[in-house]
């Protein structure tokens, strides 16, 4: 079997193929045209928190290179582009006045995609909360839930009829746990109780935003994006198995159970005790507001070891530059688990990709490792589809190298290389491979249409 020839046949003609980015990671223009400060602008100014002491002031300068980047996206032959709106760019203080130049930028982006035949997949919150809201308690404050709903309504009023989908939040686990329990991401808080209250407010604001947008007549599909790993025990021992189940409840079901079943996993509530979030009457029903789709970001598996910490360097699996195990089978397993546990709406793989060291040689980047990562994970997606999981799309993380949060610009996830000195974009071999795969999918589709 030639994996490259057989891959297109695993996907239906209407399958959505895309690339993904987020506002803070690529836009730059951090203080231009009336944009307000975000928590990531503030976080980057703290000493020692970003690996290369960098920030998002310039990033990929996407804000000023929009037309060229749209052409770049179109050159790949994707039919979808996932991006996020920077809340402080369109509503600098997180409430009240709207910033017209910011809204106009996203309008140009959306119209530019549509003109090129690409469906816009818009995310409202990919982490860059207005600092002004953080100053009033941020996601730990229940009032932020209502600010978010107002923001969602404002964005939908302006863009909702032109985008294919609106995602409320990207990876609430990261905001809650990395941002508020471990503190290595903005806003840098270290408090477990706060983290779980934040998670609850994110989920609640998601449900209330869905209700408000639908009441406003929104035509776009509405959903959320979760980062989910596949949880496995390190050994066959009963202790490891029990821990893997608990880790799965903490990392995955804490989000998916409320969204699909309207309740938090009891074992996690028991473990949290006094750190459990304050939940008001009616909250859980709001959170379980039906979604039009679920976005899944998958990068690796999670291995639970009750004894000595699991050492990924000894697992025998290859690692990406992030030190994450490359484990495509986990994506199939994860999708099957979700399919077993819930009645799923269409599922989109909204992020998947790898960081690898990418030397530029004579203007080319031969990133065979990334191509391999993408090929095997796309095949793993196809395997889940073949077993009945309603997968509707796949998006590569990321369109181009960008600001990788606490790792700064050191880790490169792009299928397009960015030279940070000149900001020149160079498609890597993986981009050319993805482009060719999508061309083969299109050819298969038109062949099928011709025969029909
Ligand atoms: C995800 C984020 C995305 C990117 C990738 C590597 O957690 O959503 O912005 O940083 O990881």
């Amino acid at each position: 079997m030639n994996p490259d020839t057989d891959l297109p046949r695993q996907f239906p003609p209407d399958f959505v193929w895309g690339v993904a980015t987020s506002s803070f990671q690529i836009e730059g223009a951090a203080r231009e045209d009336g944009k307000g400060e975000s928590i990531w602008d503030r976080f980057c100014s703290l000493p020692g928190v970003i690996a290369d002491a960098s920030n998002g002031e310039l990033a990929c300068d996407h804000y000023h290179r929009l037309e060229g980047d749209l052409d770049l996206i179109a050159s790949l032959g994707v039919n979808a582009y996932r991006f996020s709106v920077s809340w402080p760019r369109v509503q600098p203080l997180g409430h009240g006045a709207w910033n017209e130049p910011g809204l106009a930028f996203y309008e140009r982006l959306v119209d530019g995609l549509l003109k090129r035949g690409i469906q816009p997949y818009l995310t409202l919150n990919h982490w860059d909360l207005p600092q002004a809201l953080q100053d009033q308690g941020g996601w730990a404050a229940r009032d932020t839930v209502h600010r978010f709903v107002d923001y969602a309504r404002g964005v939908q009023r302006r863009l909702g009829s032109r985008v294919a989908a609106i995602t409320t939040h990207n990876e609430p686990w990261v905001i809650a746990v990395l941002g508020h329990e471990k503190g290595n991401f903005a806003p840098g808080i270290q408090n477990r109780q706060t983290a779980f209250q934040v998670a609850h407010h994110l989920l609640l604001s998601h449900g209330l935003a869905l209700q408000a947008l639908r009441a406003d007549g929104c035509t776009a599909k509405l959903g959320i994006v979760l980062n989910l790993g596949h949880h496995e025990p390190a050994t066959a021992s009963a202790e490891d198995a029990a821990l893997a189940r608990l880790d799965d409840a903490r990392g995955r079901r804490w989000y998916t159970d409320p969204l699909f079943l309207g309740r938090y996993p009891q074992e996690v509530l028991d473990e949290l005790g006094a750190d459990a979030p304050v939940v008001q009457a009616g909250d859980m029903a709001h959170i379980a507001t039906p979604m039009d789709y679920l976005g899944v970001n998958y990068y690796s598996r999670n291995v639970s070891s009750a004894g000595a910490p699991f050492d990924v360097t000894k697992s025998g699996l290859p690692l990406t530059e992030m030190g994450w195990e490359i484990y495509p089978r986990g994506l199939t397993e994860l999708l099957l688990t979700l399919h077993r546990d819930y009645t799923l709406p269409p599922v989109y793989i909204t992020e998947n990709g790898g960081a690898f060291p990418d030397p530029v040689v004579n203007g080319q980047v031969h990133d065979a490792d990334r191509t391999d990562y993408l090929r095997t994970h796309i095949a793993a997606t196809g395997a889940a589809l073949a077993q009945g999981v309603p997968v509707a799309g796949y998006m590569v993380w990321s369109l181009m190298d960008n600001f990788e949060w606490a790792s700064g610009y050191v880790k490169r996830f792009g299928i397009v290389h960015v030279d940070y000195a000149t900001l020149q974009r160079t498609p890597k071999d993986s981009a050319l491979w993805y482009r060719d795969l999508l061309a083969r999918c299109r050819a298969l589709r038109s062949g099928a249409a011709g025969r029909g």
Side-chain angles (χ1 to χ4, degrees), residues 21-22 25 82 126-127 170-171 174 178 185 225 227 297 299 322 324 351 353-355 397-398 402-405 413:
T21 63
S22 86
Q25 294 178 275
R82 174 172 180 249
H126 201 124
W127 310 350
N170 178 71
E171 304 189 346
V174 170
L178 301 189
F185 275 26
V225 165
N227 56 303
N297 294 351
Y299 288 94
M322 299 296 280
W324 299 347
E351 284 182 27
W397 185 270
S398 177
N402 58 46
F403 177 78
E404 180 44 38
W405 311 111
F413 274 89

Side-chain angles (χ1 to χ4, degrees), residues 157-227:
R157 263 197 306 278
R158 186 69 174 254
L159 300 169
S161 62
R162 286 175 268 179
V163 299
I166 298 179
T167 290
T168 52
H169 302 296
N170 178 71
E171 304 189 346
W173 179 90
V174 170
I175 301 173
V177 176
L178 301 189
H180 297 82
E181 184 174 352
K182 299 193 194 302
N184 55 330
F185 275 26
I189 292 167
Q190 293 181 343
N191 181 310
R192 183 172 78 156
Q193 185 180 24
T194 306
F196 278 84
Q197 194 63 54
V198 162
H200 180 65
H201 288 157
L202 287 165
L203 290 169
L204 178 61
S205 66
H206 154 83
L208 291 175
L210 256 54
Q211 293 172 13
L213 295 184
R214 287 195 179 122
D216 287 350
C218 182
T219 51
K221 294 174 286 193
L222 302 174
I224 196 167
V225 165
L226 305 176
N227 56 303

Side-chain angles (χ1 to χ4, degrees), residues 39-231:
I39 58 172
W40 272 93
D41 291 312
R42 179 70 63 91
F43 189 66
C44 290
S45 72
L46 304 175
V49 298
I50 310 295
D52 55 0
S54 63
N55 54 47
E57 305 252 324
L58 179 60
C60 304
D61 199 31
H62 172 68
Y63 188 76
H64 295 117
R65 291 162 196 259
L66 180 61
E67 284 299 312
D69 286 344
L70 288 169
D71 287 341
L72 180 65
I73 297 165
S75 75
L76 299 171
V78 293
N79 49 29
Y81 174 58
R82 174 172 180 249
F83 66 97
S84 78
V85 172
S86 158
W87 185 351
R89 192 182 291 291
V90 301
Q91 196 184 33
L93 298 179
H95 65 91
W98 294 89
N99 181 40
E100 179 51 34
L103 288 166
F105 169 73
Y106 294 109
E107 193 157 58
R108 286 202 305 281
L109 168 51
V110 166
D111 288 346
L113 290 170
L114 293 174
K115 200 172 83 190
R116 291 167 177 83
I118 300 165
Q119 300 174 47
Y121 277 64
L122 182 156
T123 299
L124 289 164
N125 171 27
H126 201 124
W127 310 350
D128 42 359
L129 182 76
Q131 179 63 38
L133 289 183
Q134 189 61 45
D135 295 342
Q136 291 161 37
W139 286 112
R142 195 167 168 109
D143 191 52
T144 300
V145 170
H146 304 294
R147 301 287 72 77
F148 178 76
V149 174
D150 289 347
Y151 157 62
R153 295 183 67 198
V155 171
Q156 117 82 17
R157 263 197 306 278
R158 186 69 174 254
L159 300 169
S161 62
R162 286 175 268 179
V163 299
I166 298 179
T167 290
T168 52
H169 302 296
N170 178 71
E171 304 189 346
W173 179 90
V174 170
I175 301 173
V177 176
L178 301 189
H180 297 82
E181 184 174 352
K182 299 193 194 302
N184 55 330
F185 275 26
I189 292 167
Q190 293 181 343
N191 181 310
R192 183 172 78 156
Q193 185 180 24
T194 306
F196 278 84
Q197 194 63 54
V198 162
H200 180 65
H201 288 157
L202 287 165
L203 290 169
L204 178 61
S205 66
H206 154 83
L208 291 175
L210 256 54
Q211 293 172 13
L213 295 184
R214 287 195 179 122
D216 287 350
C218 182
T219 51
K221 294 174 286 193
L222 302 174
I224 196 167
V225 165
L226 305 176
N227 56 303
L228 301 174
H230 166 60
H231 291 266

Side-chain angles (χ1 to χ4, degrees), residues 173 176-177 195-200 203 226 247-259 263-270 272 275-277 279 284 287 342:
W173 179 90
V177 176
F196 278 84
Q197 194 63 54
V198 162
H200 180 65
L203 290 169
L226 305 176
D247 283 341
D248 182 49
R250 290 168 174 152
R252 177 180 70 91
R253 287 179 44 226
W254 181 263
Y255 298 90
T256 48
D257 276 9
L259 288 165
R263 58 167 190 257
Y264 286 120
Q266 189 57 47
E267 57 271 51
V268 183
L269 288 172
D270 291 347
L272 287 173
D275 283 352
V279 176
M284 300 313 293
I287 292 173
Y342 313 108

Side-chain angles (χ1 to χ4, degrees), residues 281-355:
D283 283 3
M284 300 313 293
H286 291 312
I287 292 173
T289 302
M291 297 189 277
D292 300 318
Y293 65 92
L294 172 69
V296 171
N297 294 351
Y298 175 86
Y299 288 94
S300 189
R301 66 171 181 171
N302 302 70
V303 181
S304 303
S305 168
F310 180 70
D311 182 355
V312 290
T313 63
K314 299 208 175 100
S315 76
L317 291 176
L319 304 179
T320 70
E321 215 191 354
M322 299 296 280
W324 299 347
E325 291 176 308
I326 302 179
Y327 192 62
R329 198 164 68 84
L331 176 55
T332 312
E333 297 291 331
L334 167 68
L335 292 168
L336 289 171
T337 302
L338 292 169
H339 188 46
R340 178 199 68 200
D341 288 357
Y342 313 108
T343 303
L344 292 175
V347 175
Y348 294 84
I349 308 305
T350 33
E351 284 182 27
N352 176 243

